[in-house]
PDB file of all heavy atoms in Angstrom:
ATOM      1  N   PRO A 165     -11.871  80.204 -22.860  1.00  0.00           N
ATOM      2  CA  PRO A 165     -12.720  81.194 -23.529  1.00  0.00           C
ATOM      3  C   PRO A 165     -13.228  80.687 -24.870  1.00  0.00           C
ATOM      4  O   PRO A 165     -12.634  79.813 -25.506  1.00  0.00           O
ATOM      5  CB  PRO A 165     -11.761  82.378 -23.737  1.00  0.00           C
ATOM      6  CG  PRO A 165     -10.415  81.723 -23.880  1.00  0.00           C
ATOM      7  CD  PRO A 165     -10.440  80.564 -22.923  1.00  0.00           C
ATOM      8  N   LYS A 166     -14.344  81.268 -25.298  1.00  0.00           N
ATOM      9  CA  LYS A 166     -14.880  80.940 -26.622  1.00  0.00           C
ATOM     10  C   LYS A 166     -14.353  81.908 -27.677  1.00  0.00           C
ATOM     11  O   LYS A 166     -14.566  81.701 -28.875  1.00  0.00           O
ATOM     12  CB  LYS A 166     -16.406  80.966 -26.593  1.00  0.00           C
ATOM     13  CG  LYS A 166     -17.033  82.266 -26.101  1.00  0.00           C
ATOM     14  CD  LYS A 166     -18.523  82.085 -25.903  1.00  0.00           C
ATOM     15  CE  LYS A 166     -19.172  83.312 -25.283  1.00  0.00           C
ATOM     16  NZ  LYS A 166     -20.614  83.081 -25.012  1.00  0.00           N
ATOM     17  N   LEU A 167     -13.680  82.955 -27.222  1.00  0.00           N
ATOM     18  CA  LEU A 167     -13.167  83.996 -28.107  1.00  0.00           C
ATOM     19  C   LEU A 167     -11.898  84.560 -27.486  1.00  0.00           C
ATOM     20  O   LEU A 167     -11.836  84.759 -26.269  1.00  0.00           O
ATOM     21  CB  LEU A 167     -14.220  85.100 -28.261  1.00  0.00           C
ATOM     22  CG  LEU A 167     -13.791  86.436 -28.860  1.00  0.00           C
ATOM     23  CD1 LEU A 167     -13.435  86.262 -30.336  1.00  0.00           C
ATOM     24  CD2 LEU A 167     -14.913  87.466 -28.710  1.00  0.00           C
ATOM     25  N   MET A 168     -10.882  84.825 -28.317  1.00  0.00           N
ATOM     26  CA  MET A 168      -9.648  85.447 -27.839  1.00  0.00           C
ATOM     27  C   MET A 168      -9.445  86.787 -28.537  1.00  0.00           C
ATOM     28  O   MET A 168      -9.542  86.889 -29.770  1.00  0.00           O
ATOM     29  CB  MET A 168      -8.451  84.531 -28.105  1.00  0.00           C
ATOM     30  CG  MET A 168      -8.354  83.334 -27.177  1.00  0.00           C
ATOM     31  SD  MET A 168      -7.794  83.770 -25.493  1.00  0.00           S
ATOM     32  CE  MET A 168      -6.065  84.142 -25.779  1.00  0.00           C
ATOM     33  N   LEU A 169      -9.156  87.808 -27.729  1.00  0.00           N
ATOM     34  CA  LEU A 169      -8.853  89.136 -28.225  1.00  0.00           C
ATOM     35  C   LEU A 169      -7.370  89.428 -27.972  1.00  0.00           C
ATOM     36  O   LEU A 169      -6.875  89.200 -26.871  1.00  0.00           O
ATOM     37  CB  LEU A 169      -9.703  90.192 -27.509  1.00  0.00           C
ATOM     38  CG  LEU A 169     -11.215  89.962 -27.472  1.00  0.00           C
ATOM     39  CD1 LEU A 169     -11.889  91.041 -26.623  1.00  0.00           C
ATOM     40  CD2 LEU A 169     -11.796  89.935 -28.881  1.00  0.00           C
ATOM     41  N   PHE A 170      -6.692  89.931 -28.983  1.00  0.00           N
ATOM     42  CA  PHE A 170      -5.269  90.270 -28.864  1.00  0.00           C
ATOM     43  C   PHE A 170      -5.083  91.736 -29.239  1.00  0.00           C
ATOM     44  O   PHE A 170      -5.387  92.125 -30.368  1.00  0.00           O
ATOM     45  CB  PHE A 170      -4.414  89.406 -29.787  1.00  0.00           C
ATOM     46  CG  PHE A 170      -4.363  87.947 -29.416  1.00  0.00           C
ATOM     47  CD1 PHE A 170      -5.329  87.079 -29.883  1.00  0.00           C
ATOM     48  CD2 PHE A 170      -3.344  87.454 -28.616  1.00  0.00           C
ATOM     49  CE1 PHE A 170      -5.286  85.726 -29.561  1.00  0.00           C
ATOM     50  CE2 PHE A 170      -3.297  86.108 -28.286  1.00  0.00           C
ATOM     51  CZ  PHE A 170      -4.263  85.245 -28.749  1.00  0.00           C
ATOM     52  N   ASP A 171      -4.581  92.531 -28.303  1.00  0.00           N
ATOM     53  CA  ASP A 171      -4.391  93.965 -28.545  1.00  0.00           C
ATOM     54  C   ASP A 171      -2.904  94.253 -28.765  1.00  0.00           C
ATOM     55  O   ASP A 171      -2.147  94.464 -27.825  1.00  0.00           O
ATOM     56  CB  ASP A 171      -4.926  94.781 -27.362  1.00  0.00           C
ATOM     57  CG  ASP A 171      -4.946  96.266 -27.667  1.00  0.00           C
ATOM     58  OD1 ASP A 171      -4.676  96.644 -28.823  1.00  0.00           O
ATOM     59  OD2 ASP A 171      -5.226  97.058 -26.746  1.00  0.00           O
ATOM     60  N   GLU A 172      -2.485  94.239 -30.014  1.00  0.00           N
ATOM     61  CA  GLU A 172      -1.088  94.460 -30.390  1.00  0.00           C
ATOM     62  C   GLU A 172      -0.148  93.647 -29.494  1.00  0.00           C
ATOM     63  O   GLU A 172       0.713  94.199 -28.810  1.00  0.00           O
ATOM     64  CB  GLU A 172      -0.752  95.950 -30.320  1.00  0.00           C
ATOM     65  CG  GLU A 172      -1.569  96.792 -31.286  1.00  0.00           C
ATOM     66  CD  GLU A 172      -1.072  98.226 -31.395  1.00  0.00           C
ATOM     67  OE1 GLU A 172       0.142  98.440 -31.249  1.00  0.00           O
ATOM     68  OE2 GLU A 172      -1.902  99.117 -31.616  1.00  0.00           O
ATOM     69  N   PRO A 173      -0.276  92.329 -29.491  1.00  0.00           N
ATOM     70  CA  PRO A 173       0.444  91.501 -28.519  1.00  0.00           C
ATOM     71  C   PRO A 173       1.949  91.467 -28.705  1.00  0.00           C
ATOM     72  O   PRO A 173       2.666  91.003 -27.815  1.00  0.00           O
ATOM     73  CB  PRO A 173      -0.155  90.111 -28.746  1.00  0.00           C
ATOM     74  CG  PRO A 173      -0.617  90.129 -30.168  1.00  0.00           C
ATOM     75  CD  PRO A 173      -1.118  91.525 -30.399  1.00  0.00           C
ATOM     76  N   THR A 174       2.458  91.942 -29.855  1.00  0.00           N
ATOM     77  CA  THR A 174       3.904  91.890 -30.077  1.00  0.00           C
ATOM     78  C   THR A 174       4.561  93.266 -30.107  1.00  0.00           C
ATOM     79  O   THR A 174       5.774  93.362 -30.257  1.00  0.00           O
ATOM     80  CB  THR A 174       4.216  91.178 -31.412  1.00  0.00           C
ATOM     81  OG1 THR A 174       3.619  91.911 -32.493  1.00  0.00           O
ATOM     82  CG2 THR A 174       3.684  89.758 -31.413  1.00  0.00           C
ATOM     83  N   SER A 175       3.784  94.327 -29.948  1.00  0.00           N
ATOM     84  CA  SER A 175       4.353  95.668 -30.153  1.00  0.00           C
ATOM     85  C   SER A 175       5.334  96.073 -29.055  1.00  0.00           C
ATOM     86  O   SER A 175       6.184  96.939 -29.268  1.00  0.00           O
ATOM     87  CB  SER A 175       3.231  96.714 -30.254  1.00  0.00           C
ATOM     88  OG  SER A 175       2.501  96.773 -29.051  1.00  0.00           O
ATOM     89  N   ALA A 176       5.249  95.445 -27.872  1.00  0.00           N
ATOM     90  CA  ALA A 176       6.176  95.780 -26.787  1.00  0.00           C
ATOM     91  C   ALA A 176       7.374  94.841 -26.732  1.00  0.00           C
ATOM     92  O   ALA A 176       8.179  94.917 -25.809  1.00  0.00           O
ATOM     93  CB  ALA A 176       5.437  95.746 -25.445  1.00  0.00           C
ATOM     94  N   LEU A 177       7.509  93.973 -27.729  1.00  0.00           N
ATOM     95  CA  LEU A 177       8.555  92.953 -27.714  1.00  0.00           C
ATOM     96  C   LEU A 177       9.711  93.346 -28.625  1.00  0.00           C
ATOM     97  O   LEU A 177       9.530  94.053 -29.621  1.00  0.00           O
ATOM     98  CB  LEU A 177       7.984  91.608 -28.176  1.00  0.00           C
ATOM     99  CG  LEU A 177       6.783  91.067 -27.404  1.00  0.00           C
ATOM    100  CD1 LEU A 177       6.342  89.743 -28.007  1.00  0.00           C
ATOM    101  CD2 LEU A 177       7.108  90.904 -25.921  1.00  0.00           C
ATOM    102  N   ASP A 178      10.902  92.843 -28.289  1.00  0.00           N
ATOM    103  CA  ASP A 178      12.030  93.044 -29.196  1.00  0.00           C
ATOM    104  C   ASP A 178      11.881  92.088 -30.378  1.00  0.00           C
ATOM    105  O   ASP A 178      11.196  91.060 -30.283  1.00  0.00           O
ATOM    106  CB  ASP A 178      13.356  92.824 -28.468  1.00  0.00           C
ATOM    107  CG  ASP A 178      13.500  91.403 -27.957  1.00  0.00           C
ATOM    108  OD1 ASP A 178      13.796  90.516 -28.779  1.00  0.00           O
ATOM    109  OD2 ASP A 178      13.331  91.181 -26.738  1.00  0.00           O
ATOM    110  N   PRO A 179      12.514  92.413 -31.494  1.00  0.00           N
ATOM    111  CA  PRO A 179      12.314  91.621 -32.720  1.00  0.00           C
ATOM    112  C   PRO A 179      12.610  90.136 -32.554  1.00  0.00           C
ATOM    113  O   PRO A 179      11.978  89.299 -33.218  1.00  0.00           O
ATOM    114  CB  PRO A 179      13.286  92.265 -33.715  1.00  0.00           C
ATOM    115  CG  PRO A 179      13.428  93.673 -33.237  1.00  0.00           C
ATOM    116  CD  PRO A 179      13.364  93.589 -31.736  1.00  0.00           C
TER     117      PRO A 179
END
Side-chain angles (χ1 to χ4, degrees):
K166 55 189 174 184
L167 166 68
M168 285 286 288
L169 308 175
F170 292 87
D171 189 7
E172 298 190 32
T174 61
S175 63
L177 304 179
D178 63 77

